[in-house]
Coordinates of all heavy atoms in Angstrom, one line a residue:
V140 N 80.4 54.9 79.3 CA 81.3 53.8 78.9 C 81.6 53.9 77.4 O 80.6 54.0 76.6 CB 80.8 52.4 79.2 CG1 81.7 51.3 78.7 CG2 80.6 52.3 80.7
I141 N 82.8 53.9 77.0 CA 83.2 54.0 75.6 C 83.3 52.6 75.0 O 83.8 51.6 75.7 CB 84.6 54.6 75.5 CG1 84.6 56.1 76.0 CG2 85.1 54.6 74.0 CD1 85.9 56.8 76.0
L142 N 82.7 52.4 73.8 CA 82.7 51.1 73.2 C 83.8 51.0 72.2 O 84.2 51.9 71.5 CB 81.3 50.9 72.5 CG 80.1 51.0 73.5 CD1 78.8 50.7 72.6 CD2 80.2 50.0 74.6
D143 N 84.3 49.7 72.0 CA 85.3 49.5 71.0 C 84.6 49.3 69.6 O 83.4 49.4 69.5 CB 86.3 48.4 71.3 CG 85.6 47.0 71.4 OD1 84.4 46.8 70.9 OD2 86.2 46.1 72.0
E144 N 85.4 48.9 68.6 CA 84.9 48.7 67.2 C 83.8 47.6 67.2 O 82.9 47.6 66.3 CB 86.0 48.3 66.3 CG 87.1 49.3 66.2 CD 88.1 49.2 67.3 OE1 88.5 48.0 67.7 OE2 88.6 50.2 67.8
S145 N 83.9 46.6 68.1 CA 82.9 45.5 68.1 C 81.7 45.8 68.9 O 80.9 44.9 69.1 CB 83.6 44.2 68.5 OG 84.1 44.4 69.8
G146 N 81.7 47.0 69.6 CA 80.5 47.3 70.4 C 80.6 46.9 71.9 O 79.7 47.0 72.6
R147 N 81.8 46.4 72.2 CA 82.0 46.0 73.6 C 82.7 47.1 74.4 O 83.4 48.0 73.8 CB 82.9 44.8 73.7 CG 82.2 43.5 73.1 CD 83.2 42.3 73.2 NE 84.2 42.6 72.2 CZ 85.1 41.8 71.8 NH1 85.1 40.6 72.2 NH2 86.0 42.1 70.9
P148 N 82.5 47.2 75.7 CA 83.2 48.2 76.5 C 84.7 48.2 76.3 O 85.3 47.1 76.4 CB 82.8 47.9 77.9 CG 81.5 47.1 77.8 CD 81.7 46.3 76.6
K149 N 85.3 49.3 76.0 CA 86.7 49.4 75.9 C 87.3 49.4 77.3 O 86.9 50.1 78.2 CB 87.1 50.8 75.2 CG 88.5 50.9 74.8 CD 88.7 52.1 73.9 CE 90.1 52.2 73.4 NZ 90.3 53.4 72.7
K150 N 88.3 48.5 77.5 CA 88.9 48.3 78.8 C 90.3 49.0 78.9 O 91.0 49.1 77.9 CB 89.2 46.8 79.0 CG 87.9 46.0 79.0 CD 87.1 46.2 80.3 CE 85.9 45.2 80.3 NZ 85.1 45.5 81.5
V151 N 90.6 49.5 80.0 CA 91.8 50.2 80.3 C 92.5 49.3 81.4 O 91.8 49.0 82.4 CB 91.7 51.6 80.8 CG1 93.0 52.2 81.1 CG2 91.0 52.5 79.7
F152 N 93.8 49.0 81.3 CA 94.5 48.3 82.3 C 95.2 49.3 83.2 O 95.9 50.2 82.8 CB 95.5 47.4 81.6 CG 96.2 46.4 82.6 CD1 95.5 45.3 83.1 CD2 97.5 46.6 83.0 CE1 96.0 44.5 84.0 CE2 98.1 45.7 83.9 CZ 97.4 44.7 84.4
Y153 N 94.9 49.1 84.5 CA 95.5 49.9 85.6 C 96.6 49.1 86.3 O 96.2 48.3 87.2 CB 94.4 50.4 86.5 CG 93.5 51.4 85.9 CD1 92.4 51.0 85.1 CD2 93.7 52.8 86.1 CE1 91.6 51.9 84.6 CE2 92.9 53.7 85.5 CZ 91.8 53.3 84.8 OH 91.0 54.2 84.2
P154 N 97.8 49.2 85.9 CA 98.8 48.3 86.5 C 99.2 48.8 87.9 O 99.2 50.0 88.2 CB 100.1 48.5 85.6 CG 99.9 49.8 85.0 CD 98.4 50.0 84.9
S155 N 99.3 47.8 88.8 CA 99.7 48.2 90.2 C 101.2 47.8 90.5 O 101.8 48.3 91.4 CB 98.8 47.5 91.2 OG 98.8 46.1 91.0
E156 N 101.7 46.8 89.7 CA 103.0 46.4 89.9 C 103.6 45.8 88.6 O 102.9 45.1 87.9 CB 103.0 45.3 91.0 CG 104.4 44.9 91.4 CD 104.3 43.9 92.6 OE1 103.2 43.6 93.1 OE2 105.4 43.4 92.9
I157 N 104.9 46.2 88.3 CA 105.6 45.5 87.2 C 106.4 44.4 87.8 O 107.2 44.7 88.8 CB 106.5 46.6 86.5 CG1 105.6 47.7 85.9 CG2 107.3 45.9 85.4 CD1 106.5 48.9 85.4
V158 N 106.3 43.2 87.3 CA 107.0 42.1 88.0 C 108.2 41.6 87.1 O 109.1 41.0 87.7 CB 106.1 40.9 88.3 CG1 105.1 41.4 89.4 CG2 105.4 40.4 87.1
S159 N 108.2 41.9 85.9 CA 109.4 41.5 85.0 C 109.3 42.1 83.6 O 108.2 42.7 83.3 CB 109.4 40.0 84.9 OG 110.5 39.5 84.2
V160 N 110.3 41.9 82.9 CA 110.3 42.3 81.4 C 110.8 41.1 80.7 O 111.9 40.6 81.0 CB 111.2 43.5 81.1 CG1 111.2 43.8 79.7 CG2 110.7 44.7 81.9

Side-chain angles (χ1 to χ4, degrees):
V140 174
I141 298 172
L142 303 179
D143 65 16
E144 302 82 37
S145 63
R147 292 178 292 193
K149 191 172 182 182
K150 300 286 187 183
V151 177
F152 187 73
Y153 291 82
S155 58
E156 186 176 358
I157 300 170
V158 296
S159 185
V160 176

